[in-house]
Amino acid sequence: AQVNANELGRNMVLSQLQRGFTVIRYSRRGETDYAAGLVSPGQRPFRPFNVVRSDKLTLDNDRTEVHSQQQDFIGGFHVPDDDQALYLNLTIDGAPGIDVLLVPEATGQGMLANLTTRPGPSSLIGPPVWGEPVARGALFQRTVRVPKGDYILLLDHSSQVGQTAPPQQLLDDRAVAVDYLVQLGDAP
């Protein structure tokens, strides 16, 4: 039977929304934050990077976990002008490394569609805009100048895409915990 990716995604979002979410408004300017589930009064949702002041727009600031032979698709990120860049900050823990790629949204959506029809991680169906391996330990920072468009950040912990591959032992599922901050700003 064919899997309907849109229906599957809709059902996943609906089940998360049924568990509830919290919206916090911080100021009269309309600064808001969202979190799945309940956030106690006076508390803020967890964010791995503390952005106090920045001339860049924070698009995402979160943590994910990617297991061996898996991929995570983060975004989409809209870049409204040609003279802008995505500013990436990542730290990883767990396995020795992971591949991080920025792909056009159409490429990411096509790869996601492949995940619903074939087992295992998806192959690239188009060239990435940018990609690098990220090693465990130090803060990884990159500025990626991109043309106007929509993008997805691909975290690959498989042997399917990129330069790194997880350990091949069957019982070694060293997941990678990835803290990531994606911001949009003027290109340098």
Side-chain angles (χ1 to χ4, degrees), residues 5 11 55 60 63 67 70 79-81 85-86 107 109-110 112 121 131-132 143 148 157 165 170 180 184-185:
N11 290 339
D55 59 347
D60 207 348
R63 173 179 288 162
H67 288 265
Q70 290 185 347
V79 177
D81 296 313
L86 291 172
T107 299
Q109 292 297 338
L112 279 167
E132 278 187 56
T143 301
K148 176 180 175 178
H157 190 36
L170 279 176
Y180 58 90
L184 174 67

Side-chain angles (χ1 to χ4, degrees), residues 31 49-55 58 61 183:
E31 295 171 290
F49 293 92
N50 185 19
V51 180
V52 178
R53 292 184 188 258
S54 177
D55 59 347
T58 297
N61 183 0
Q183 294 181 299

